[in-house]
Amino acid sequence: VKKMVSVKEIMTKEPVCVESSDLVTRARSLIRKYGYRALPVLEKGKLVGIISRGNILKITSSKTNISVEGIMNRNLITVSEDDDIFSAAKAIVRSGVRQLLVVDNGNLKGIISSMDILDKFVKEDYHPVKKKIDEVMTTDVVYCEQDDEISKIWDMMHSSGFSGLPVLKNNKIIGIVTRMNILKQGSVRLSKESGKIRNAPVKRVMMTPAITVTPATGVKRAAGTMVKRRIIRLPVVDKKKELVGIVDIEDILRAYVG
């Protein structure tokens, strides 16, 4: 029997925070600079919200004067330091958020992400309840083509809620494009702002080659790939390398917690 690992052991202590009165541009530059997926929001030292890459994607202007308070999420999913990582994983799967705030008597102690948890599952060699990718993958995939406009993809990400999309060429997968790729590029916001759409195709910002799995790939192996590459989604392809599904980090956590 494996020893239960507590949240406290793997959380990030004293995470970088923003104030509710800060401008969104400050939060965006921190997320861009450090690669964070979300930042806790404080007001007079008390935790009041969280702002994620997804929230920031909604803001097109690069000189926006909107405050963090205006777009942050107030619906906080929290765990305590003493909770074990299985209950933290269940909270992530249940809520669909990728970051849990670790709180003790209303005070922020740390932050723990789906990647932190999966990393530990892999290192401790935990056995998933569901063994194969085809048991946990999604078959209805939102994807884009390499010549699609980045601004169109931006809107697709916004409407679908997906933070990354597989990129296809002639039905074969050639890469993946994520919010972070676009945020780093920055061309979309500028074009939306000025009204002059600078034609920028997805192939300019996508990551290649795409790291893929097949329906028969073991969940453990997929988990190991995600952890090693620090990626949170894997397109699923058949023998012809055609896209048949996608699996994200929540699907993999769900395979572990049953």
Side-chain angles (χ1 to χ4, degrees):
V1 177
K2 290 194 185 296
K3 170 179 84 67
M4 265 306 168
V5 179
S6 72
V7 164
K8 190 178 193 168
E9 292 173 57
I10 64 167
M11 71 184 190
T12 301
K13 296 177 180 67
E14 297 172 15
V16 173
C17 299
V18 285
E19 292 288 322
S20 60
S21 57
D22 283 343
L23 290 180
V24 168
T25 40
R26 173 160 194 266
R28 187 168 63 207
S29 67
L30 284 170
I31 281 180
R32 215 191 246 169
K33 183 176 170 189
Y34 296 109
Y36 296 132
R37 294 188 181 279
L39 301 168
V41 183
L42 303 179
E43 201 170 279
K44 299 192 177 88
K46 277 278 178 233
L47 180 66
V48 290
I50 189 165
I51 184 167
S52 69
R53 284 182 194 173
N55 300 137
I56 287 171
L57 250 189
K58 294 173 187 167
I59 305 299
T60 54
S61 164
S62 47
K63 303 187 206 39
T64 180
N65 54 4
I66 296 172
S67 70
V68 165
E69 189 173 29
I71 62 165
M72 70 184 188
N73 188 349
R74 294 170 188 277
N75 175 22
L76 300 176
I77 313 293
T78 62
V79 285
S80 79
E81 293 183 300
D82 300 326
D83 285 341
D84 66 72
I85 59 172
F86 266 85
S87 39
K90 282 180 180 153
I92 284 176
V93 167
R94 218 176 25 245
S95 66
V97 301
R98 294 204 171 108
Q99 282 78 25
L100 300 173
L101 296 165
V102 186
V103 175
D104 191 23
N105 295 329
N107 296 317
L108 180 68
K109 293 291 187 183
I111 191 165
I112 184 171
S113 70
S114 46
M115 184 58 81
D116 297 330
I117 295 170
L118 190 61
D119 191 44
K120 199 65 180 168
F121 283 174
V122 168
K123 285 200 173 90
E124 297 286 326
D125 199 27
Y126 285 129
H127 298 299
V129 182
K130 293 182 170 150
K131 305 295 184 201
K132 295 255 165 66
I133 288 301
D134 62 5
E135 296 176 65
V136 291
M137 72 185 196
T138 302
T139 51
D140 187 15
V141 193
V142 178
Y143 63 87
C144 59
E145 304 275 344
Q146 63 163 1
D147 295 319
D148 285 344
E149 291 300 321
I150 292 177
S151 50
K152 175 185 157 191
I153 302 317
W154 185 270
D155 295 334
M156 271 168 76
M157 284 179 175
H158 186 41
S159 59
S160 69
F162 295 123
S163 59
L165 303 175
V167 184
L168 302 190
K169 178 186 177 182
N170 305 331
N171 286 337
K172 303 273 195 286
I173 180 148
I174 55 165
I176 199 151
V177 61
T178 69
R179 280 178 183 163
M180 204 59 178
N181 301 145
I182 296 178
L183 273 176
K184 284 197 164 135
Q185 185 71 2
S187 63
V188 177
R189 285 196 319 278
L190 304 174
S191 64
K192 283 203 164 183
E193 209 41 37
S194 62
K196 293 195 272 294
I197 295 291
R198 289 205 314 221
N199 286 344
V202 166
K203 62 184 170 202
R204 258 198 24 210
V205 298
M206 70 181 183
M207 295 179 294
T208 56
I211 313 290
T212 59
V213 288
T214 72
T217 302
V219 164
K220 260 184 156 172
R221 195 169 141 209
T225 301
M226 281 183 175
V227 165
K228 187 171 152 214
R229 306 260 185 175
R230 310 314 277 178
I231 50 180
I232 59 171
R233 71 183 54 72
L234 294 166
V236 186
V237 296
D238 62 15
K239 290 189 174 71
K240 293 188 221 135
K241 291 276 182 272
E242 289 183 1
L243 186 67
V244 293
I246 196 157
V247 64
D248 70 16
I249 197 163
E250 284 81 25
D251 298 326
I252 299 291
L253 288 180
R254 194 177 288 116
Y256 277 92
V257 297

